[in-house]
Amino acid sequence: MDTSALRAKFLGAAAAASDEAALEEVRLAALGKKGEISALMASLGKMEPEERKAAGALLNILRDEIDSALRAKKAALGDAALDARLKSEWLDVTMPARPRRIGTIHPVSQVMEELTAIFADMGFAVAEGPQVETDWYNFDALNIPPEHPARQEHDTFFMHRDAGDDRPPHVLRTHTSPVQIRAMTEKGAPIRVIAPGRVYRMDMDQTHTPMVHQVEGLAIGKDISMANLKWVLEEFCRAFFEVDKVELRFRASHFPFTEPSAEVDIRYSNVGGQLRIGEGDKWMEILGSGMVHPKVLAAAGVDPTEYQGFAFGMGIDRLAMLKYGIPDLRAFFDGDLRWLRHYGFAALDMPDLAGGLSA
Ligand code: PHE
């Protein structure tokens, strides 16, 4: 009896089986009750003793060979299935934890953090005041009496008053300058503070929104001058815009609470919509400033014959637009998450001077 054809057939079929079901079919065809090898085994009984002995030995060997080939293949198929499962259920535990859920920092908040870090480095503390302010702090104490035309120019939001309400009139503060009065009244002189925060004016078009952000600066001492103001502002702009060269232009102006007063422009260029600070032939107004008026010092309980100093008020939203190339002011207040994801900052990246602020 020659078993080589059967051997080749079943070992080949076992090797080719691609899953356990196919493998079981091969087993049944060879070794099952009605399988070919089993049928041959059954035929042994009709043989002569000599012939039966030789054929029986060959068939036993063949049966064992096929049986172990089937077992080996079954184990290999099981390993492959486990591998595939492990691959599909693999988890990368080193992935960052839900970065989106933490959210992003709004550009205005980022800029507030940046300028706070810069002014803190120059010795300015942060002062605060209420957004609903009395008209005394917002106007009178800043040398803007009721009949003063500047009151109209401020487009003020007035809080509702019931008839007979004799509390002082309240407004939404139109600038951060009332914090000058509160800080000096509270801390006296000498003093060096900034006051970032929200201010409100009835104004709404492409470049104006009814609420914007300002930062007030105030430095009072015995010999503080406009020269100190100029240095502080130039130093601030260099650090904030992260450029070595900045050029500021001081234009004579008028504010009731400073004398003399100056508006300050910064040199920039606009090449194909790309703004560059410190070069080019364009000027953008970024702040109002001046030497604090003696009447303002007196209103806050500081002796104007002994002390003097400077103050400035800067628009934060415009600083953010300039630095981060944001074209439309109104987008700041839309609350559009897609916009925020584009312009926002990573929540864990706190600006600091050592890191170059925005890095
Ligand atoms: N309060 C002024 C404004 O809102 C800015 C300013 C502040 C000017 C301090 C001079 C000094 O326009």
Side-chain angles (χ1 to χ4, degrees), residues 154 174-177 180 201 214 216-217 255 257-258 288-290 311-314:
H154 275 219
T174 57
H175 49 179
T176 43
S177 298
Q180 288 185 35
R201 292 190 195 180
Q214 280 191 346
E216 194 80 6
F255 299 102
F257 33 92
T258 47
S289 66
F312 60 83
M314 202 157 33

Side-chain angles (χ1 to χ4, degrees), residues 52-288:
R52 182 195 308 155
K53 205 175 165 190
L58 279 175
L59 282 177
N60 274 335
I61 291 170
L62 178 61
R63 188 191 58 201
D64 290 350
E65 258 184 280
I66 292 174
D67 188 53
S68 54
L70 288 170
R71 282 176 201 278
K73 179 69 180 186
K74 189 168 178 176
L77 283 176
D79 285 352
L82 183 60
D83 278 352
R85 203 175 136 201
L86 283 175
K87 220 177 225 165
S88 73
E89 293 177 5
W90 182 76
L91 276 179
D92 183 355
V93 294
T94 67
M95 294 236 298
R98 298 179 181 171
R100 275 284 156 76
R101 291 275 172 85
I102 298 173
T104 62
I105 302 292
H106 194 281
V108 170
S109 305
Q110 167 84 8
V111 164
M112 283 202 193
E113 296 287 345
E114 290 180 11
L115 57 87
T116 302
I118 296 168
F119 282 112
D121 194 52
M122 293 193 270
F124 287 78
V126 174
E128 284 186 317
Q131 295 176 38
V132 177
E133 190 55 284
T134 67
D135 65 352
W136 187 82
Y137 278 106
N138 196 78
F139 294 121
D140 300 66
L142 290 162
N143 195 29
I144 314 176
E147 67 283 359
H148 198 288
R151 287 217 180 189
Q152 272 70 59
E153 286 160 23
H154 275 219
D155 300 316
T156 312
F157 286 107
F158 294 93
M159 305 305 287
H160 171 75
R161 301 185 82 197
D162 286 328
D165 187 342
D166 56 1
R167 288 174 303 174
H170 282 74
V171 300
L172 291 180
R173 69 178 180 194
T174 57
H175 49 179
T176 43
S177 298
V179 187
Q180 288 185 35
I181 307 297
R182 291 183 173 275
M184 285 190 282
T185 308
E186 214 174 281
K187 301 260 160 61
I191 189 172
R192 232 186 293 177
V193 289
I194 57 161
R198 296 178 166 183
V199 304
Y200 302 83
R201 292 190 195 180
M202 243 181 289
D203 217 348
M204 186 69 175
D205 61 35
Q206 216 170 349
T207 53
H208 295 91
T209 51
M211 187 276 288
V212 293
H213 300 85
Q214 280 191 346
V215 58
E216 194 80 6
L218 174 72
I220 304 293
K222 296 220 163 153
D223 51 10
I224 291 181
S225 71
M226 289 287 274
N228 300 123
L229 169 69
K230 189 159 184 279
W231 182 86
V232 163
L233 291 176
E234 282 172 355
E235 201 61 18
F236 166 75
C237 288
R238 248 195 300 278
F240 178 76
F241 289 110
E242 299 168 37
V243 290
D244 293 333
K245 217 188 86 197
V246 291
E247 209 180 320
L248 297 182
R249 179 171 79 178
F250 285 68
R251 264 183 302 106
S253 182
H254 175 78
F255 299 102
F257 33 92
T258 47
E259 181 59 37
S261 303
E263 282 177 312
V264 178
D265 308 331
I266 190 165
R267 186 190 282 281
Y268 77 104
S269 70
N270 184 344
V271 185
Q274 271 268 8
L275 301 187
R276 287 225 180 76
I277 300 295
E279 58 174 59
D281 54 6
K282 288 183 156 50
W283 294 95
M284 170 133 24
E285 185 193 320
I286 55 169
L287 63 95

